[in-house]
Amino acid sequence: MKLSDFAAVAELIKERAYLSSLASVMRGSRPRVRIESNDIRPDLTERMLPDMRLVFEQQIAVVDEKLTALGVISNREAA
C-alpha cells in the first residue's frame, strides 16, 4: 500500500465496518425499516430482508475488492 492511499484505505475500512454492522444487525433481530417518519409494515420488511442482506454482502465484497486493489490484505490472506 502506498502512503498516498492511506486516507482512501481508512475511508474504505470505515465503509466496510458500517456495512458489516448493518448486515449483522439484520441477522439477529427483527429490524424496522423507516422512510422519513414512516415505518414499513413488518410483513414487507420480513420479505425484503434476504434481498437487503444480499445487497450488504455484495457491497462488502466491492469494498474488499477496492481494498485489494490498493494493496491491503486481510490477516487471513497473509497467513
Side-chain angles (χ1 to χ4, degrees), residues 23 26-27 31 42-58:
M26 299 194 105
R27 279 187 210 112
D43 60 319
L44 293 176
T45 303
E46 286 295 321
R47 286 190 289 183
M48 291 182 346
L49 279 178
D51 292 332
M52 291 169 66
R53 285 186 192 116
L54 182 61
V55 168
F56 292 137
E57 291 168 5
Q58 288 172 341

Side-chain angles (χ1 to χ4, degrees), residues 23-76:
S24 67
V25 165
M26 299 194 105
R27 279 187 210 112
S29 61
R30 293 185 57 148
R32 291 186 338 188
V33 177
R34 299 190 86 175
I35 298 177
E36 293 185 9
S37 61
N38 301 311
D39 285 345
I40 295 178
R41 291 187 350 228
D43 60 319
L44 293 176
T45 303
E46 286 295 321
R47 286 190 289 183
M48 291 182 346
L49 279 178
D51 292 332
M52 291 169 66
R53 285 186 192 116
L54 182 61
V55 168
F56 292 137
E57 291 168 5
Q58 288 172 341
Q59 284 304 113
I60 290 169
V62 168
V63 171
D64 286 345
E65 287 176 8
K66 289 179 182 178
L67 286 168
T68 302
L70 290 172
V72 177
I73 57 172
S74 69
N75 289 338
R76 284 180 263 167

